[in-house]
Every structure is written in C-alpha cells, then in structure tokens.
C-alpha cells in the first residue's frame, strides 16, 4: 500500500482531483469527513469543543453549529489553534483506521488522503506519506472562486483564504503539483499527468 497526501487551499480544486483519482482506482480517504466524525454528537471531541468555546457553538439538536464556530476561529488565530489541538489528533486516529482497512482489503492499494490542512498540521502529523501532491491555484484566484461559485461575501472569502497556510508554505511540502489555475479540463489533464507519475513504472 502507498499513501499519497493530497492537499490544496480552499477552492483550489482538490475535490476535483480526488474524484478523478478515485475514478482511476485510488482509495480516497476524506479528512473533512473524518473531521465531522471527530466532533459528531456524543463524541469526546464535541464535548471538548463545547468546553473550550461555550454552548453557543452547539446547535439545539446537539450537533456542532459550524457557522457559529467558524465565525470564532476564522477571526482568532489563537482560537483556531485551540480547535486544531482538539480535532487533529482524533482525525489522524480515524485516518489510520481507514488506511488499515484499505490495506487489509488490498495490500497494493493506492490510498489518497484528501487533507486540506496538511501544511497547517505538518508539524504534528504521525503519518509518513509516500508522496505529497499540492493542487495549486493562487490565493487571489481562490478568493474569486469562493465569491463567484459559492456566493461567499468577499471579506469572508478573504478571511478564510488568509486563515490557511500560504501558497508558499503549501508548495514547500509538494513532491508533485497539480496546476489548477486554468479551466476544469486543464486541471483534470494536470491531475492525470501527476497520477501517471505516481503510479507508473518510473515512480
């Protein structure tokens, strides 16, 4: 089994790449999905979040009120660091379980770990990747995509992009880069090229 770390800033096109690679046979493990599991109703993670941030981040049905929490952590780096200290260890634990399951099913599996905050968690990650792939589109372009395609307020989009690692910090981790600055078709062509390099005989 090989584990490929796939990362990219918000609105870079990472989901497009992971879906394309799933079509090529990759086992995709989605860190965002694991992050939701880590703070699911009744989980120890959610209890820790409520203790740290107060009852205002818990919805009436007992689930995490993500917009309320997001409004806090995207405006306060210290709060964001505290949240990551709660969620990152649990997400890594869940990821390792998913990797183990993939290997048990197919010892030769290529597992793609789709993880937006890889650069932010680089110092604490317990997993060794066989390669790291960055889906790259510059910050300004990603802001425009958030405004145009997700109808996000520009100021909110700029805050969310700024809250993540810089383009340079992310690219410093890359063994391979998928160019996502062009059209969707361009991104898919670049993703296919990187996939061929990852899985071909000369890898």
């Amino acid at each position: 089994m090989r584990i490929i770390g796939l990362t990219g800033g918000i609105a870079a096109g990472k989901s497009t790449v992971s879906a394309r690679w799933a079509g090529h046979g990759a086992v995709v493990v989605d860190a965002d999905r694991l992050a939701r599991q880590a703070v699911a109703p009744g989980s120890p993670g959610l209890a820790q979040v409520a203790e740290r941030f107060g009852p205002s981040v818990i919805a009436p049905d007992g689930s995490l009120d993500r917009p309320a929490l997001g409004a806090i952590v995207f405006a306060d780096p210290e709060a964001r660091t505290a949240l990551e200290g709660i969620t990152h260890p649990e997400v890594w634990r869940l990821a390792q379980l998913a990797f183990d399951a993939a290997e048990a099913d197919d010892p030769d599996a290529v597992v793609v770990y789709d993880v937006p905050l890889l650069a932010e968690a680089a110092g604490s990650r317990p997993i060794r990747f066989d390669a790291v792939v960055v889906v790259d589109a510059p910050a300004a372009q990603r802001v425009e995509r958030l405004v145009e395609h997700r109808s996000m307020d520009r100021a909110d989009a700029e805050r969310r992009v700024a809250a993540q690692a810089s383009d340079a910090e992310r690219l410093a981790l890359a063994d391979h880069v998928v160019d996502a600055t062009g059209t969707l078709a361009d991104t898919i062509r670049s993703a296919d090229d990187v996939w061929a390099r990852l899985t071909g005989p000369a890898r």
Side-chain angles (χ1 to χ4, degrees), residues 49 52-53 73 76-88:
V49 169
R52 170 60 178 79
F53 296 99
V73 301
D76 181 351
E78 184 178 332
R80 187 168 65 252
T81 299
L83 177 63
E84 291 167 356
I86 294 169
T87 58
H88 283 178

Side-chain angles (χ1 to χ4, degrees), residues 14-107:
K14 189 170 45 55
S15 296
T16 296
V17 175
S18 66
R20 182 70 172 180
W21 288 356
H24 289 322
V27 177
V28 176
V29 177
D30 185 342
D32 280 341
R33 185 170 300 148
L34 300 184
R36 289 190 288 274
Q37 291 179 28
V39 290
S43 67
L46 184 60
Q48 291 178 61
V49 169
E51 182 178 354
R52 170 60 178 79
F53 296 99
S56 67
V57 302
I58 305 300
D61 65 357
S63 66
L64 180 64
D65 186 333
R66 294 182 181 277
L69 182 60
I72 295 171
V73 301
F74 282 112
D76 181 351
E78 184 178 332
R80 187 168 65 252
T81 299
L83 177 63
E84 291 167 356
I86 294 169
T87 58
H88 283 178
E90 180 63 6
V91 170
W92 286 123
R93 186 186 71 82
L94 294 170
Q96 188 62 59
L97 291 175
F99 301 153
D100 291 345
E103 185 172 31
D105 186 59
D106 178 7

Side-chain angles (χ1 to χ4, degrees), residues 3 8 27 50 54 57 69 79 85 91 94 118 125 127 136 139 174 180 185 188 196 200 202:
I3 302 175
V27 177
V57 302
L69 182 60
V91 170
L94 294 170
L118 183 60
R125 72 179 191 231
I127 295 165
D136 183 51
I188 288 174

Side-chain angles (χ1 to χ4, degrees), residues 94-171:
L94 294 170
Q96 188 62 59
L97 291 175
F99 301 153
D100 291 345
E103 185 172 31
D105 186 59
D106 178 7
D108 296 320
V110 177
V111 176
V112 173
Y113 188 36
D114 180 339
V115 52
L117 302 180
L118 183 60
E120 292 82 347
S124 62
R125 72 179 191 231
I127 295 165
R128 180 190 173 278
F129 295 107
D130 293 282
V132 172
V133 178
V134 172
V135 182
D136 183 51
Q141 185 175 16
R142 292 186 283 113
V143 169
E144 293 302 323
R145 289 175 179 175
L146 289 171
V147 172
E148 182 178 350
H149 300 303
R150 303 192 196 180
S151 301
M152 192 175 288
D153 175 79
R154 181 172 297 275
D156 188 27
E158 290 174 346
R159 278 195 300 270
R160 286 177 182 264
V161 168
Q164 294 186 336
S166 69
D167 295 340
E169 288 170 329
R170 203 175 289 111
L171 287 168

